[in-house]
Amino acid sequence: MGDAVELEAAGRTVRLSSPDKVFFPERGFTKLDLAQYYLAVGDGILRALRNRPTTLERYPDGVAGESFFQKRAPKSMPDWIPTAHITFPSGRSADEMCPTEPAAVLWAAQFGTLTFHPWPVRRDDVDRPDELRIDLDPQPGTDYADAVRAAHELREVLHEYGDLRGWPKTSGGRGLHVFVPIQPRWTFTQVRRAAIAVGRELERRMPDQVTTAWWKEERGEKIFVDYNQTARDRTIASAYSVRPRPHAPVSAPLRWDEVDDAQPRDFDLATMPGRFAELGDVHADMDDHAFSLEALLELASRDEHDHGLGDLPYPPEYPKMPGEPKRVQPSRAKHEDG
């Protein structure tokens, strides 16, 4: 696997063992390639992770090996990487790492971390999100082009309800993510309610192309607005994260004028450093903004009052939530009722 190497990031040295271990057999990318990628985009991924509790998606033997999500900070983690104490829906809690410098990303790469999953909160207030994250998830029969059409309409919805601005990025697959920086005034439940309101408005405008149906059997060939990605402890891969697919794609931040012509497969571990060197972090100004959710929460209230549209199902591992509808797939419910 080769002798260990030492990499320097912003004045701190990180030791990388087995640098020649192949992590992506299809492309031949090694552990060292992964670490050097994260060095090249260090300012960008640190902007996405800074001071956020972060779950690590680890592949110690590369993308072809076994993987796991590491939520709890290991005891071996250096003391220069801070943590935040977070609580899960189950009531259990943990201390998660909160990157504050590029070397923390390298340290995680040393242990086979491909993808970083930051919470939408900062460590000084772990119960009030500062990002509204909209996940446009193509269902079977749809693709990236369908997600793009939904994203443009989403942009209009955001503008109309609170003059909100979203920053788009590829998911690393066929989908799109749009992040809106918000004031940390609302709870996870309220932010999720705003995401549901966005999804329903998008669904009204594009009924044949967009759905908020939680149950897969009801979605059809549409773009699913995954509102539950805003629930506590549900996270979305960060900008610049490498995704665990054979061709080593990355979640690529985009400008709105790039969205139509972008090809998600073009953004990968090999190509993103050149783009970053040329353009820098195209989402660098996100932290300069913090929008209000009041207009979206008013829309949610109108949906409930005027149309009887209340809450939607939570993920299966969640405890039953107040006001949540029956959490059983429609075909099964019909069978049980019959």
Side-chain angles (χ1 to χ4, degrees):
M1 297 298 179
D3 295 334
V5 298
E6 291 187 341
L7 300 175
E8 185 172 316
R12 198 180 293 280
T13 300
V14 177
R15 182 178 183 274
L16 195 76
S17 63
S18 304
D20 298 332
K21 179 185 283 189
V22 176
F23 269 23
F24 291 89
E26 182 177 293
R27 304 287 301 276
F29 295 140
T30 64
K31 184 178 182 180
L32 180 59
D33 292 327
L34 176 71
Q36 289 178 329
Y37 164 78
Y38 279 128
L39 265 179
V41 299
D43 289 344
I45 193 164
L46 187 61
R47 188 267 310 157
L49 301 179
R50 186 179 285 109
N51 282 318
R52 297 189 182 281
T54 301
T55 298
L56 308 179
E57 188 175 356
R58 291 179 54 189
Y59 287 76
D61 294 314
V63 72
E66 294 185 359
S67 66
F68 60 95
F69 289 87
Q70 179 153 3
K71 296 185 177 183
R72 288 172 171 78
K75 293 181 180 179
S76 60
M77 192 174 75
D79 57 11
W80 49 265
I81 301 178
T83 62
H85 193 72
I86 55 173
T87 303
F88 304 116
S90 64
R92 301 168 78 177
S93 62
D95 294 322
E96 283 206 1
M97 73 174 291
C98 298
T100 57
E101 54 183 288
V105 178
L106 285 190
W107 175 85
Q110 149 65 15
F111 292 97
T113 299
L114 298 187
T115 307
F116 294 83
H117 296 267
W119 282 48
V121 299
R122 309 281 182 168
R123 63 188 173 110
D124 58 352
D125 188 351
V126 296
D127 294 315
R128 297 186 183 276
D130 68 346
E131 286 181 346
L132 169 66
R133 299 173 173 179
I134 308 298
D135 182 4
L136 301 175
D137 185 11
Q139 299 304 290
T142 64
D143 57 19
Y144 175 77
D146 297 296
V148 167
R149 284 188 282 273
H152 284 304
E153 192 63 44
L154 168 63
R155 190 182 185 190
E156 293 301 314
V157 170
L158 293 173
H159 178 71
E160 291 177 28
Y161 289 91
D163 199 20
L164 307 181
R165 177 184 167 194
W167 279 254
K169 69 181 183 72
T170 67
S171 66
R174 297 180 303 136
L176 275 168
H177 302 150
V178 178
F179 284 13
V180 181
I182 60 174
Q183 301 161 7
R185 293 169 46 195
W186 296 277
T187 65
F188 277 95
T189 301
Q190 290 171 311
V191 173
R192 178 178 173 275
R193 192 166 184 245
I196 291 173
V198 167
R200 282 174 167 156
E201 181 63 20
L202 201 55
E203 194 174 29
R204 281 190 285 267
R205 299 181 183 203
M206 306 179 72
D208 297 327
Q209 297 166 279
V210 170
T211 181
T212 58
W214 176 246
W215 305 107
K216 291 183 179 180
E217 64 187 36
E218 294 187 317
R219 292 178 190 170
E221 295 184 359
K222 299 180 181 180
I223 298 298
F224 172 48
V225 181
D226 190 354
Y227 60 88
N228 268 331
Q229 292 289 47
T230 54
R232 178 185 286 271
D233 192 34
R234 295 294 283 255
T235 56
I236 293 178
S238 78
Y240 301 102
S241 271
V242 179
R243 305 313 308 274
R245 295 182 175 90
H247 62 288
V250 305
S251 180
L254 301 173
R255 301 185 305 254
W256 278 107
D257 62 5
E258 297 179 296
V259 168
D260 287 41
D261 297 328
Q263 298 295 324
R265 284 188 66 95
D266 289 345
F267 305 108
D268 62 27
L269 191 149
T271 62
M272 180 56 82
R275 172 180 167 86
F276 193 87
E278 178 184 356
L279 301 178
D281 179 14
V282 298
H283 287 188
D285 62 335
M286 271 188 69
D287 288 347
D288 298 335
H289 302 269
F291 297 99
S292 172
L293 289 181
E294 289 178 358
L296 284 178
L297 292 173
E298 289 173 6
L299 174 61
S301 294
R302 289 198 300 274
D303 278 346
E304 185 168 10
H305 182 269
D306 298 342
H307 306 292
L309 298 174
D311 205 353
L312 290 172
Y314 273 79
E317 70 273 16
Y318 276 63
K320 183 68 175 179
M321 301 294 286
E324 182 189 0
K326 191 174 182 180
R327 197 187 300 175
V328 59
Q329 64 191 75
S331 58
R332 181 179 172 187
K334 186 179 296 185
H335 176 76
E336 292 176 350
D337 292 343

